Amino acid sequence: VGKQGAGPGEFSFPHGIAIGANGRVFVADTGNKRVQALDTDGKFLFDIKAGEEALIEPYDVLIAPGGDLLVLDSDAGWVYRFDQDGKPKGRMGGPELRFYKPRGFGVDAAGNVYIADTGRSRVVRLDADGKQTLEFGERGSGPLQYIETSEIAISPKGDVYVVDLPNKRVQRLNAEMKFVNDFAIPVAGPATGPYIAFASDGSLLITAPEPHKIQRYSPEGVLQGEFGGFGEGLGSMRLPTGIASQGQTIWVAESGNNRIQKFTLNP
């Protein structure tokens, strides 16, 4: 679905993607400074881009436990909240927290938001009301050290996965933010991902932008398989970035092809 452009259903360097409870698909259309809402078949419904909650550099989108849409704007580090129809419901974060180009974020079952502060090598946690409750990370290559954090994903079991791009790895933490292990991923730049979604069996689906593939890992970080490859045809990809999963349905945003693709994941 989609091509280069600024019209309905067209994209300019899309990144994050999320699936609502009703199957509605939300895409961070970064280059067009908006989020697009599509139906289950990828048909355009509406976009979010103007008004009081104007977006500047929307990079990632998530669905909060109550069903609201969360949008991470990398420019000033705001996390905007909208209902499923795009109505603004407030924002949290912003300049007071000294973010420097955060690229990704995650949300846990309690509604806590974990922001990957890419330029400051850290992770910041906000509660559902926007109050900062935790900050961790420092520049380095050891446990709980990062060079550029770019994505956070929280598993259904509460484990926290932090993508650390220059170190070419994902760190796995438990619910108490204690280091468990890490595992290697392909190199990628901070502007192109990678992003993480959880398959229905608990495995991790991670975009690999430079190899132009989707890789599947066990919760412990063992590579189980991959699909995709460079190209413009169906099943091929150019710079896959955002990824979202619901049941056996997988949606992938491609920054290079300015489109999204829908897959059915084999068990």
PDB file of all heavy atoms in Angstrom, residues 6-41:
ATOM      1  N   ALA A   6       2.408  13.030  -0.951  1.00  0.00           N
ATOM      2  CA  ALA A   6       1.818  13.669   0.221  1.00  0.00           C
ATOM      3  C   ALA A   6       0.297  13.564   0.245  1.00  0.00           C
ATOM      4  O   ALA A   6      -0.354  14.168   1.089  1.00  0.00           O
ATOM      5  CB  ALA A   6       2.223  15.140   0.271  1.00  0.00           C
ATOM      6  N   GLY A   7      -0.273  12.798  -0.665  1.00  0.00           N
ATOM      7  CA  GLY A   7      -1.714  12.640  -0.714  1.00  0.00           C
ATOM      8  C   GLY A   7      -2.199  11.541   0.214  1.00  0.00           C
ATOM      9  O   GLY A   7      -1.413  10.878   0.894  1.00  0.00           O
ATOM     10  N   PRO A   8      -3.511  11.315   0.251  1.00  0.00           N
ATOM     11  CA  PRO A   8      -4.048  10.233   1.073  1.00  0.00           C
ATOM     12  C   PRO A   8      -3.477   8.882   0.653  1.00  0.00           C
ATOM     13  O   PRO A   8      -3.459   8.543  -0.536  1.00  0.00           O
ATOM     14  CB  PRO A   8      -5.560  10.301   0.799  1.00  0.00           C
ATOM     15  CG  PRO A   8      -5.801  11.704   0.369  1.00  0.00           C
ATOM     16  CD  PRO A   8      -4.573  12.103  -0.399  1.00  0.00           C
ATOM     17  N   GLY A   9      -2.971   8.124   1.619  1.00  0.00           N
ATOM     18  CA  GLY A   9      -2.412   6.815   1.313  1.00  0.00           C
ATOM     19  C   GLY A   9      -1.050   6.846   0.669  1.00  0.00           C
ATOM     20  O   GLY A   9      -0.530   5.809   0.256  1.00  0.00           O
ATOM     21  N   GLU A  10      -0.437   8.034   0.573  1.00  0.00           N
ATOM     22  CA  GLU A  10       0.929   8.166   0.078  1.00  0.00           C
ATOM     23  C   GLU A  10       1.844   8.511   1.249  1.00  0.00           C
ATOM     24  O   GLU A  10       1.384   9.053   2.256  1.00  0.00           O
ATOM     25  CB  GLU A  10       1.015   9.246  -1.000  1.00  0.00           C
ATOM     26  CG  GLU A  10       0.189   8.934  -2.228  1.00  0.00           C
ATOM     27  CD  GLU A  10       0.187  10.056  -3.253  1.00  0.00           C
ATOM     28  OE1 GLU A  10       0.537  11.200  -2.881  1.00  0.00           O
ATOM     29  OE2 GLU A  10      -0.177   9.789  -4.411  1.00  0.00           O
ATOM     30  N   PHE A  11       3.143   8.208   1.106  1.00  0.00           N
ATOM     31  CA  PHE A  11       4.047   8.333   2.243  1.00  0.00           C
ATOM     32  C   PHE A  11       5.353   9.004   1.848  1.00  0.00           C
ATOM     33  O   PHE A  11       5.757   8.996   0.687  1.00  0.00           O
ATOM     34  CB  PHE A  11       4.365   6.948   2.829  1.00  0.00           C
ATOM     35  CG  PHE A  11       3.158   6.182   3.285  1.00  0.00           C
ATOM     36  CD1 PHE A  11       2.586   5.212   2.473  1.00  0.00           C
ATOM     37  CD2 PHE A  11       2.588   6.431   4.518  1.00  0.00           C
ATOM     38  CE1 PHE A  11       1.467   4.507   2.883  1.00  0.00           C
ATOM     39  CE2 PHE A  11       1.473   5.733   4.945  1.00  0.00           C
ATOM     40  CZ  PHE A  11       0.912   4.769   4.126  1.00  0.00           C
ATOM     41  N   SER A  12       6.014   9.562   2.866  1.00  0.00           N
ATOM     42  CA  SER A  12       7.360  10.097   2.714  1.00  0.00           C
ATOM     43  C   SER A  12       8.184   9.650   3.915  1.00  0.00           C
ATOM     44  O   SER A  12       8.013  10.149   5.012  1.00  0.00           O
ATOM     45  CB  SER A  12       7.324  11.633   2.620  1.00  0.00           C
ATOM     46  OG  SER A  12       8.634  12.163   2.541  1.00  0.00           O
ATOM     47  N   PHE A  13       9.021   8.666   3.717  1.00  0.00           N
ATOM     48  CA  PHE A  13       9.885   8.094   4.753  1.00  0.00           C
ATOM     49  C   PHE A  13       9.091   7.673   5.997  1.00  0.00           C
ATOM     50  O   PHE A  13       9.344   8.175   7.098  1.00  0.00           O
ATOM     51  CB  PHE A  13      11.010   9.054   5.125  1.00  0.00           C
ATOM     52  CG  PHE A  13      11.878   9.436   3.969  1.00  0.00           C
ATOM     53  CD1 PHE A  13      11.771  10.692   3.374  1.00  0.00           C
ATOM     54  CD2 PHE A  13      12.797   8.534   3.451  1.00  0.00           C
ATOM     55  CE1 PHE A  13      12.566  11.036   2.292  1.00  0.00           C
ATOM     56  CE2 PHE A  13      13.597   8.869   2.373  1.00  0.00           C
ATOM     57  CZ  PHE A  13      13.477  10.122   1.793  1.00  0.00           C
ATOM     58  N   PRO A  14       8.148   6.760   5.848  1.00  0.00           N
ATOM     59  CA  PRO A  14       7.399   6.291   7.022  1.00  0.00           C
ATOM     60  C   PRO A  14       8.301   5.513   7.970  1.00  0.00           C
ATOM     61  O   PRO A  14       9.272   4.882   7.543  1.00  0.00           O
ATOM     62  CB  PRO A  14       6.324   5.395   6.412  1.00  0.00           C
ATOM     63  CG  PRO A  14       6.945   4.869   5.151  1.00  0.00           C
ATOM     64  CD  PRO A  14       7.770   6.024   4.628  1.00  0.00           C
ATOM     65  N   HIS A  15       7.954   5.551   9.248  1.00  0.00           N
ATOM     66  CA  HIS A  15       8.723   4.823  10.258  1.00  0.00           C
ATOM     67  C   HIS A  15       7.795   3.922  11.090  1.00  0.00           C
ATOM     68  O   HIS A  15       7.448   2.842  10.663  1.00  0.00           O
ATOM     69  CB  HIS A  15       9.536   5.791  11.115  1.00  0.00           C
ATOM     70  CG  HIS A  15      10.724   6.357  10.402  1.00  0.00           C
ATOM     71  ND1 HIS A  15      10.655   7.505   9.641  1.00  0.00           N
ATOM     72  CD2 HIS A  15      12.003   5.936  10.313  1.00  0.00           C
ATOM     73  CE1 HIS A  15      11.841   7.755   9.108  1.00  0.00           C
ATOM     74  NE2 HIS A  15      12.689   6.828   9.508  1.00  0.00           N
ATOM     75  N   GLY A  16       7.417   4.368  12.287  1.00  0.00           N
ATOM     76  CA  GLY A  16       6.639   3.498  13.164  1.00  0.00           C
ATOM     77  C   GLY A  16       5.262   3.164  12.615  1.00  0.00           C
ATOM     78  O   GLY A  16       4.667   3.922  11.840  1.00  0.00           O
ATOM     79  N   ILE A  17       4.740   2.009  13.050  1.00  0.00           N
ATOM     80  CA  ILE A  17       3.425   1.550  12.622  1.00  0.00           C
ATOM     81  C   ILE A  17       2.786   0.812  13.793  1.00  0.00           C
ATOM     82  O   ILE A  17       3.483   0.171  14.587  1.00  0.00           O
ATOM     83  CB  ILE A  17       3.534   0.660  11.354  1.00  0.00           C
ATOM     84  CG1 ILE A  17       2.163   0.356  10.747  1.00  0.00           C
ATOM     85  CG2 ILE A  17       4.306  -0.609  11.637  1.00  0.00           C
ATOM     86  CD1 ILE A  17       2.267  -0.228   9.340  1.00  0.00           C
ATOM     87  N   ALA A  18       1.479   0.941  13.942  1.00  0.00           N
ATOM     88  CA  ALA A  18       0.769   0.314  15.059  1.00  0.00           C
ATOM     89  C   ALA A  18      -0.603  -0.154  14.583  1.00  0.00           C
ATOM     90  O   ALA A  18      -1.169   0.407  13.636  1.00  0.00           O
ATOM     91  CB  ALA A  18       0.619   1.283  16.233  1.00  0.00           C
ATOM     92  N   ILE A  19      -1.129  -1.179  15.252  1.00  0.00           N
ATOM     93  CA  ILE A  19      -2.443  -1.726  14.925  1.00  0.00           C
ATOM     94  C   ILE A  19      -3.356  -1.541  16.124  1.00  0.00           C
ATOM     95  O   ILE A  19      -3.050  -1.992  17.231  1.00  0.00           O
ATOM     96  CB  ILE A  19      -2.354  -3.223  14.571  1.00  0.00           C
ATOM     97  CG1 ILE A  19      -1.322  -3.461  13.459  1.00  0.00           C
ATOM     98  CG2 ILE A  19      -3.723  -3.752  14.144  1.00  0.00           C
ATOM     99  CD1 ILE A  19      -1.067  -4.929  13.171  1.00  0.00           C
ATOM    100  N   GLY A  20      -4.488  -0.873  15.921  1.00  0.00           N
ATOM    101  CA  GLY A  20      -5.465  -0.678  16.977  1.00  0.00           C
ATOM    102  C   GLY A  20      -6.281  -1.936  17.223  1.00  0.00           C
ATOM    103  O   GLY A  20      -6.215  -2.913  16.468  1.00  0.00           O
ATOM    104  N   ALA A  21      -7.072  -1.899  18.289  1.00  0.00           N
ATOM    105  CA  ALA A  21      -7.861  -3.074  18.670  1.00  0.00           C
ATOM    106  C   ALA A  21      -8.864  -3.460  17.587  1.00  0.00           C
ATOM    107  O   ALA A  21      -9.223  -4.629  17.448  1.00  0.00           O
ATOM    108  CB  ALA A  21      -8.585  -2.800  19.985  1.00  0.00           C
ATOM    109  N   ASN A  22      -9.321  -2.493  16.810  1.00  0.00           N
ATOM    110  CA  ASN A  22     -10.283  -2.769  15.746  1.00  0.00           C
ATOM    111  C   ASN A  22      -9.624  -3.081  14.413  1.00  0.00           C
ATOM    112  O   ASN A  22     -10.289  -3.135  13.377  1.00  0.00           O
ATOM    113  CB  ASN A  22     -11.237  -1.579  15.591  1.00  0.00           C
ATOM    114  CG  ASN A  22     -10.493  -0.270  15.317  1.00  0.00           C
ATOM    115  OD1 ASN A  22      -9.268  -0.268  15.174  1.00  0.00           O
ATOM    116  ND2 ASN A  22     -11.230   0.818  15.235  1.00  0.00           N
ATOM    117  N   GLY A  23      -8.308  -3.279  14.430  1.00  0.00           N
ATOM    118  CA  GLY A  23      -7.576  -3.584  13.211  1.00  0.00           C
ATOM    119  C   GLY A  23      -7.146  -2.367  12.422  1.00  0.00           C
ATOM    120  O   GLY A  23      -6.466  -2.502  11.393  1.00  0.00           O
ATOM    121  N   ARG A  24      -7.524  -1.190  12.876  1.00  0.00           N
ATOM    122  CA  ARG A  24      -7.109   0.044  12.206  1.00  0.00           C
ATOM    123  C   ARG A  24      -5.594   0.191  12.288  1.00  0.00           C
ATOM    124  O   ARG A  24      -4.986  -0.079  13.322  1.00  0.00           O
ATOM    125  CB  ARG A  24      -7.817   1.229  12.859  1.00  0.00           C
ATOM    126  CG  ARG A  24      -7.611   2.562  12.189  1.00  0.00           C
ATOM    127  CD  ARG A  24      -8.515   3.608  12.820  1.00  0.00           C
ATOM    128  NE  ARG A  24      -9.909   3.447  12.396  1.00  0.00           N
ATOM    129  CZ  ARG A  24     -10.909   4.192  12.841  1.00  0.00           C
ATOM    130  NH1 ARG A  24     -10.675   5.127  13.760  1.00  0.00           N
ATOM    131  NH2 ARG A  24     -12.136   4.008  12.390  1.00  0.00           N
ATOM    132  N   VAL A  25      -4.973   0.618  11.198  1.00  0.00           N
ATOM    133  CA  VAL A  25      -3.519   0.720  11.106  1.00  0.00           C
ATOM    134  C   VAL A  25      -3.115   2.195  11.133  1.00  0.00           C
ATOM    135  O   VAL A  25      -3.658   3.011  10.381  1.00  0.00           O
ATOM    136  CB  VAL A  25      -2.994   0.051   9.818  1.00  0.00           C
ATOM    137  CG1 VAL A  25      -1.473   0.177   9.721  1.00  0.00           C
ATOM    138  CG2 VAL A  25      -3.413  -1.421   9.774  1.00  0.00           C
ATOM    139  N   PHE A  26      -2.150   2.518  12.008  1.00  0.00           N
ATOM    140  CA  PHE A  26      -1.643   3.885  12.125  1.00  0.00           C
ATOM    141  C   PHE A  26      -0.170   3.894  11.703  1.00  0.00           C
ATOM    142  O   PHE A  26       0.616   3.077  12.175  1.00  0.00           O
ATOM    143  CB  PHE A  26      -1.774   4.392  13.557  1.00  0.00           C
ATOM    144  CG  PHE A  26      -3.205   4.499  14.028  1.00  0.00           C
ATOM    145  CD1 PHE A  26      -3.803   3.439  14.694  1.00  0.00           C
ATOM    146  CD2 PHE A  26      -3.942   5.651  13.795  1.00  0.00           C
ATOM    147  CE1 PHE A  26      -5.116   3.537  15.126  1.00  0.00           C
ATOM    148  CE2 PHE A  26      -5.249   5.748  14.227  1.00  0.00           C
ATOM    149  CZ  PHE A  26      -5.844   4.687  14.891  1.00  0.00           C
ATOM    150  N   VAL A  27       0.181   4.836  10.819  1.00  0.00           N
ATOM    151  CA  VAL A  27       1.537   4.911  10.275  1.00  0.00           C
ATOM    152  C   VAL A  27       2.126   6.283  10.548  1.00  0.00           C
ATOM    153  O   VAL A  27       1.511   7.309  10.230  1.00  0.00           O
ATOM    154  CB  VAL A  27       1.541   4.644   8.757  1.00  0.00           C
ATOM    155  CG1 VAL A  27       2.984   4.609   8.235  1.00  0.00           C
ATOM    156  CG2 VAL A  27       0.818   3.349   8.418  1.00  0.00           C
ATOM    157  N   ALA A  28       3.326   6.313  11.145  1.00  0.00           N
ATOM    158  CA  ALA A  28       4.054   7.571  11.323  1.00  0.00           C
ATOM    159  C   ALA A  28       4.658   7.960   9.979  1.00  0.00           C
ATOM    160  O   ALA A  28       5.697   7.435   9.575  1.00  0.00           O
ATOM    161  CB  ALA A  28       5.142   7.407  12.381  1.00  0.00           C
ATOM    162  N   ASP A  29       3.986   8.846   9.288  1.00  0.00           N
ATOM    163  CA  ASP A  29       4.412   9.319   7.968  1.00  0.00           C
ATOM    164  C   ASP A  29       5.364  10.494   8.188  1.00  0.00           C
ATOM    165  O   ASP A  29       5.006  11.670   8.014  1.00  0.00           O
ATOM    166  CB  ASP A  29       3.160   9.719   7.175  1.00  0.00           C
ATOM    167  CG  ASP A  29       3.455  10.050   5.717  1.00  0.00           C
ATOM    168  OD1 ASP A  29       4.602   9.839   5.276  1.00  0.00           O
ATOM    169  OD2 ASP A  29       2.529  10.534   5.039  1.00  0.00           O
ATOM    170  N   THR A  30       6.593  10.166   8.548  1.00  0.00           N
ATOM    171  CA  THR A  30       7.527  11.135   9.104  1.00  0.00           C
ATOM    172  C   THR A  30       7.790  12.316   8.174  1.00  0.00           C
ATOM    173  O   THR A  30       7.728  13.476   8.580  1.00  0.00           O
ATOM    174  CB  THR A  30       8.851  10.441   9.465  1.00  0.00           C
ATOM    175  OG1 THR A  30       8.578   9.293  10.273  1.00  0.00           O
ATOM    176  CG2 THR A  30       9.773  11.372  10.213  1.00  0.00           C
ATOM    177  N   GLY A  31       8.092  12.034   6.913  1.00  0.00           N
ATOM    178  CA  GLY A  31       8.427  13.103   5.982  1.00  0.00           C
ATOM    179  C   GLY A  31       7.284  14.050   5.708  1.00  0.00           C
ATOM    180  O   GLY A  31       7.507  15.223   5.360  1.00  0.00           O
ATOM    181  N   ASN A  32       6.053  13.580   5.860  1.00  0.00           N
ATOM    182  CA  ASN A  32       4.875  14.425   5.660  1.00  0.00           C
ATOM    183  C   ASN A  32       4.345  15.032   6.955  1.00  0.00           C
ATOM    184  O   ASN A  32       3.277  15.667   6.962  1.00  0.00           O
ATOM    185  CB  ASN A  32       3.760  13.635   4.968  1.00  0.00           C
ATOM    186  CG  ASN A  32       4.025  13.402   3.494  1.00  0.00           C
ATOM    187  OD1 ASN A  32       4.535  14.278   2.797  1.00  0.00           O
ATOM    188  ND2 ASN A  32       3.701  12.213   3.013  1.00  0.00           N
ATOM    189  N   LYS A  33       5.064  14.815   8.062  1.00  0.00           N
ATOM    190  CA  LYS A  33       4.728  15.421   9.359  1.00  0.00           C
ATOM    191  C   LYS A  33       3.297  15.101   9.788  1.00  0.00           C
ATOM    192  O   LYS A  33       2.547  15.964  10.249  1.00  0.00           O
ATOM    193  CB  LYS A  33       4.935  16.936   9.315  1.00  0.00           C
ATOM    194  CG  LYS A  33       6.351  17.358   8.959  1.00  0.00           C
ATOM    195  CD  LYS A  33       6.509  18.860   8.975  1.00  0.00           C
ATOM    196  CE  LYS A  33       7.948  19.263   8.624  1.00  0.00           C
ATOM    197  NZ  LYS A  33       8.144  20.726   8.675  1.00  0.00           N
ATOM    198  N   ARG A  34       2.947  13.829   9.688  1.00  0.00           N
ATOM    199  CA  ARG A  34       1.597  13.421  10.030  1.00  0.00           C
ATOM    200  C   ARG A  34       1.571  11.942  10.383  1.00  0.00           C
ATOM    201  O   ARG A  34       2.540  11.210  10.161  1.00  0.00           O
ATOM    202  CB  ARG A  34       0.641  13.672   8.855  1.00  0.00           C
ATOM    203  CG  ARG A  34       0.969  12.805   7.627  1.00  0.00           C
ATOM    204  CD  ARG A  34       0.049  13.079   6.460  1.00  0.00           C
ATOM    205  NE  ARG A  34       0.428  12.262   5.301  1.00  0.00           N
ATOM    206  CZ  ARG A  34      -0.211  12.280   4.135  1.00  0.00           C
ATOM    207  NH1 ARG A  34      -1.257  13.080   3.961  1.00  0.00           N
ATOM    208  NH2 ARG A  34       0.194  11.499   3.130  1.00  0.00           N
ATOM    209  N   VAL A  35       0.460  11.505  10.929  1.00  0.00           N
ATOM    210  CA  VAL A  35       0.161  10.092  11.109  1.00  0.00           C
ATOM    211  C   VAL A  35      -1.050   9.784  10.243  1.00  0.00           C
ATOM    212  O   VAL A  35      -2.037  10.527  10.256  1.00  0.00           O
ATOM    213  CB  VAL A  35      -0.135   9.762  12.586  1.00  0.00           C
ATOM    214  CG1 VAL A  35      -0.628   8.325  12.734  1.00  0.00           C
ATOM    215  CG2 VAL A  35       1.106   9.980  13.440  1.00  0.00           C
ATOM    216  N   GLN A  36      -0.978   8.703   9.490  1.00  0.00           N
ATOM    217  CA  GLN A  36      -2.115   8.290   8.675  1.00  0.00           C
ATOM    218  C   GLN A  36      -2.810   7.105   9.322  1.00  0.00           C
ATOM    219  O   GLN A  36      -2.159   6.182   9.836  1.00  0.00           O
ATOM    220  CB  GLN A  36      -1.675   7.907   7.269  1.00  0.00           C
ATOM    221  CG  GLN A  36      -1.170   9.071   6.442  1.00  0.00           C
ATOM    222  CD  GLN A  36      -1.186   8.768   4.953  1.00  0.00           C
ATOM    223  OE1 GLN A  36      -2.214   8.471   4.367  1.00  0.00           O
ATOM    224  NE2 GLN A  36      -0.019   8.854   4.332  1.00  0.00           N
ATOM    225  N   ALA A  37      -4.144   7.117   9.269  1.00  0.00           N
ATOM    226  CA  ALA A  37      -4.961   6.002   9.741  1.00  0.00           C
ATOM    227  C   ALA A  37      -5.544   5.286   8.535  1.00  0.00           C
ATOM    228  O   ALA A  37      -6.115   5.923   7.640  1.00  0.00           O
ATOM    229  CB  ALA A  37      -6.073   6.502  10.651  1.00  0.00           C
ATOM    230  N   LEU A  38      -5.378   3.967   8.511  1.00  0.00           N
ATOM    231  CA  LEU A  38      -5.858   3.131   7.413  1.00  0.00           C
ATOM    232  C   LEU A  38      -6.761   2.040   7.978  1.00  0.00           C
ATOM    233  O   LEU A  38      -6.651   1.669   9.146  1.00  0.00           O
ATOM    234  CB  LEU A  38      -4.680   2.493   6.670  1.00  0.00           C
ATOM    235  CG  LEU A  38      -3.509   3.415   6.293  1.00  0.00           C
ATOM    236  CD1 LEU A  38      -2.370   2.588   5.699  1.00  0.00           C
ATOM    237  CD2 LEU A  38      -3.945   4.487   5.309  1.00  0.00           C
ATOM    238  N   ASP A  39      -7.632   1.489   7.130  1.00  0.00           N
ATOM    239  CA  ASP A  39      -8.453   0.374   7.595  1.00  0.00           C
ATOM    240  C   ASP A  39      -7.676  -0.930   7.480  1.00  0.00           C
ATOM    241  O   ASP A  39      -6.494  -0.946   7.119  1.00  0.00           O
ATOM    242  CB  ASP A  39      -9.798   0.326   6.860  1.00  0.00           C
ATOM    243  CG  ASP A  39      -9.680  -0.045   5.377  1.00  0.00           C
ATOM    244  OD1 ASP A  39      -8.600  -0.513   4.939  1.00  0.00           O
ATOM    245  OD2 ASP A  39     -10.688   0.123   4.660  1.00  0.00           O
ATOM    246  N   THR A  40      -8.329  -2.037   7.769  1.00  0.00           N
ATOM    247  CA  THR A  40      -7.645  -3.329   7.804  1.00  0.00           C
ATOM    248  C   THR A  40      -7.105  -3.760   6.446  1.00  0.00           C
ATOM    249  O   THR A  40      -6.237  -4.631   6.366  1.00  0.00           O
ATOM    250  CB  THR A  40      -8.579  -4.411   8.351  1.00  0.00           C
ATOM    251  OG1 THR A  40      -9.770  -4.457   7.553  1.00  0.00           O
ATOM    252  CG2 THR A  40      -8.954  -4.121   9.799  1.00  0.00           C
ATOM    253  N   ASP A  41      -7.617  -3.164   5.359  1.00  0.00           N
ATOM    254  CA  ASP A  41      -7.139  -3.475   4.010  1.00  0.00           C
ATOM    255  C   ASP A  41      -6.144  -2.441   3.508  1.00  0.00           C
ATOM    256  O   ASP A  41      -5.719  -2.509   2.348  1.00  0.00           O
ATOM    257  CB  ASP A  41      -8.320  -3.569   3.041  1.00  0.00           C
ATOM    258  CG  ASP A  41      -9.271  -4.703   3.389  1.00  0.00           C
ATOM    259  OD1 ASP A  41      -8.774  -5.797   3.732  1.00  0.00           O
ATOM    260  OD2 ASP A  41     -10.500  -4.490   3.329  1.00  0.00           O
TER     261      ASP A  41
END
